[in-house]
Amino acid sequence: MSDDPTYGFDTLQIHAGAKPDPATGARQTPIYQTTAYVFRDADHAAALFNLQEVGYIYSRLTNPTVAVLAERIATLEGGVGAVCCSSGHAAQIMALFPLMGPGLNIVASSRLYGGTVTQFSQTIKRFGWSAKFVDFDDHEAVKAAIDDNTRAVFCEAIANPGGHITDLDAISAISDAAGVPLIVDNTSATPYLCRPIEHGATLVVHSTTKYLTGNGTVTGGCVVDSGKFDWSANDKFPSMSQPEPAYHGLKFAETFGPLAFTFHSIAIGLRDLGMTMNPQAAHYTLMGIETLSLRMERHVENAVKVATWLENDPRVDYVTYAGLPSSPYNKLVPKICPKGAGALFTVAVKGGYDSCVKLVDNLEIFSHVANLGDTRSLIIHSASTTHRQLTTEQQEAAGAGPNIVRLSIGTEDADDIIADLDQALAKATA
Ligand SMILES: Cc1ncc(COP(=O)(O)O)c(C=O)c1O
């Protein structure tokens, strides 16, 4: 048993990529806490460095514990391969790195995690890359923003913080027509709720820090390769389709076919950028991922109850949860995330900034933290924290204005979560 794709999600989340340890029979995937791997002989070493044989050289590139996690996530997402990285933000750079160069741009949704907006609007400029931010509900605007220098279209399946759902089929039709890959951040949805590759995504990125690990212990990221993009169809992706000087002239698309992106990411991305996941982090995420479907079901069930209660509370102006029939994104749920709209959404609290601050200070079960996707219920006032670096216009566009708090609904008893919100709202709006 390992990766038979006919197995169900619940089976694959426990078994995909893993076998009993060949050396000891250990049933759980061991933490291979080693930097390097002994070569059988000089020919073996040369074959590994030439990528003629797949194996382990040095843990900046690959490590057996991390490899199990990469294969597990690739299988759950329906991809051909994956590369794990040190964080979700590292995964985003790793996804863009083989595609981009100075003067080139990406077209990105204006509804993204605030840290990603900062990474794309500020930091990538130092590489000579740029991002154009567009409302991804406006498909004509997405089309119009793509130009000859665009090398990727980027969005979140369920957007942080508002929980808005992106019509991935419509966006992938646009990126396909333009001959550029669609990269989908599937952090908030997870492959249990949404499988972006089935909706046309070329690459799927994750902050494994969140639901995939699920227990708030380690940061990590992953890029999943659909294997479906033809990198040689035009001359836009020379690092994939032409002889790559950084790997003695290897042509990745010709040599590795559908696995070209995955091999490029390991052989050049991890080798030269060094954004490697360590085996301890992979271990914690492997522990978490075994219960992903069970947790996501409870997250969604609780989110529906809590969002419904909040929507009917007079101390609240509105709730953005796409799982509510009142949400304009509700109609996308059956198509994009048929098992539910996740457990992340924002709430506009009457009384604005001051009420939000009092609310976060008075909650007892909820933790006030810059994280999401934990089994614990979490809250944050985005405008004063995660989205603080953004302009007011960017905050509003991202759904993180001063009167807004973001909730990540945990797996505790829904009645207890609601009672906690009730008592803290009473103090916040007294
Ligand atoms: C949707 C989304 N993508 C990416 C990231 C970045 O992930 P990390 O914090 O693991 O770098 C986050 C972090 O909150 C996120 O919410």
Side-chain angles (χ1 to χ4, degrees):
M1 154 82 226
S2 184
D3 302 348
D4 183 339
T6 63
Y7 286 118
F9 193 98
D10 292 342
T11 307
L12 292 170
Q13 72 186 357
I14 296 169
H15 292 286
K19 297 182 188 66
D21 181 49
T24 62
R27 180 53 279 200
Q28 191 51 272
T29 300
I31 304 169
Y32 282 89
Q33 197 65 60
T34 183
T35 307
Y37 307 83
V38 178
F39 306 122
R40 288 195 303 271
D41 52 35
D43 286 346
H44 177 223
L48 290 173
F49 276 91
N50 271 343
L51 299 180
Q52 287 159 331
E53 189 176 327
V54 176
Y56 297 101
I57 297 175
Y58 186 67
S59 283
R60 171 156 34 83
L61 310 172
T62 45
N63 167 282
T65 315
V66 180
V68 171
L69 177 63
E71 196 172 333
R72 178 103 25 111
I73 299 173
T75 305
L76 295 179
E77 285 286 2
V80 295
V83 54
C84 288
C85 324
S86 50
S87 69
H89 262 13
Q92 291 165 195
I93 296 298
M94 287 282 292
L96 293 175
F97 178 68
L99 322 178
M100 300 295 283
L104 302 177
N105 69 66
I106 61 172
V107 170
S109 170
S110 48
R111 278 191 207 89
L112 293 176
Y113 161 57
T116 305
V117 176
T118 306
Q119 187 187 53
F120 288 174
S121 62
Q122 305 300 329
T123 304
I124 65 169
K125 284 200 277 196
R126 296 177 183 221
F127 306 146
W129 312 346
S130 62
K132 302 185 199 182
F133 292 96
V134 183
D135 178 353
F136 270 41
D137 290 344
D138 184 346
H139 300 158
E140 289 308 313
V142 177
K143 214 180 279 179
I146 298 175
D147 63 26
D148 289 345
N149 290 328
T150 303
R151 292 296 179 271
V153 172
F154 188 101
C155 62
E156 293 176 15
I158 298 180
N160 175 7
H164 306 301
I165 297 173
T166 308
D167 187 343
L168 300 179
D169 299 278
I171 300 297
S172 68
I174 296 168
S175 59
D176 278 356
V180 294
L182 170 63
I183 305 174
V184 176
D185 182 338
N186 202 27
T187 299
S188 310
T190 82
Y192 184 66
L193 300 180
C194 175
R195 304 233 308 170
I197 291 171
E198 290 171 4
H199 299 280
T202 306
L203 302 172
V204 179
V205 292
H206 276 281
S207 166
T208 59
T209 316
K210 314 295 192 246
Y211 292 103
L212 294 188
T213 304
N215 47 42
T217 47
V218 283
T219 61
C222 187
V223 187
V224 181
D225 178 6
S226 70
K228 292 186 175 158
F229 195 82
D230 182 359
W231 303 106
S232 306
N234 51 44
D235 58 4
K236 288 184 174 174
F237 304 100
S239 189
M240 303 294 292
S241 62
Q242 302 301 312
E244 172 48 74
Y247 218 94
H248 51 66
L250 189 70
K251 290 185 180 176
F252 280 84
E254 189 181 294
T255 310
F256 299 109
L259 279 165
F261 185 92
T262 306
F263 272 90
H264 190 293
S265 291
I266 295 168
I268 300 184
L270 286 181
R271 185 197 65 184
D272 294 350
L273 301 178
M275 300 166 162
T276 309
M277 178 183 278
N278 67 72
Q280 287 280 345
H283 167 74
Y284 285 115
T285 304
L286 280 167
M287 294 300 94
I289 216 168
E290 293 186 350
T291 57
L292 179 64
S293 63
L294 312 178
R295 288 184 284 109
M296 293 315 292
E297 272 170 17
R298 175 63 83 88
H299 278 297
V300 168
E301 189 186 316
N302 281 358
V304 170
K305 286 182 188 161
V306 174
T308 305
W309 179 82
L310 283 166
E311 184 174 47
N312 291 309
D313 192 285
R315 297 163 293 189
V316 163
D317 273 328
Y318 61 87
V319 178
T320 61
Y321 187 48
L324 292 171
S326 57
S327 164
Y329 297 91
N330 192 249
K331 60 182 183 306
L332 287 171
V333 174
K335 182 168 84 158
I336 304 295
C337 41
K339 293 200 182 98
L344 184 73
F345 56 85
T346 55
V347 181
V349 182
K350 286 197 174 132
Y353 190 98
D354 290 345
S355 294
C356 290
V357 170
K358 282 190 202 144
L359 175 67
V360 295
D361 281 348
N362 281 291
L363 284 161
E364 282 163 17
I365 291 177
F366 279 81
S367 305
H368 182 203
V369 296
N371 195 18
L372 62 94
D374 197 329
T375 46
R376 292 152 196 81
S377 289
L378 310 174
I379 188 167
I380 195 152
H381 184 221
S382 305
S384 59
T385 54
T386 52
H387 289 60
R388 196 183 181 88
Q389 320 299 337
L390 310 191
T391 63
T392 310
E393 293 75 43
Q394 285 174 321
Q395 285 179 353
E396 301 281 355
N403 59 330
I404 304 286
V405 287
R406 182 192 72 188
L407 304 188
S408 171
I409 303 299
T411 58
E412 304 99 334
D413 286 289
D415 289 346
D416 293 337
I417 299 173
I418 290 170
D420 194 27
L421 285 166
D422 192 24
Q423 64 79 22
L425 275 170
K427 291 173 187 145
T429 57

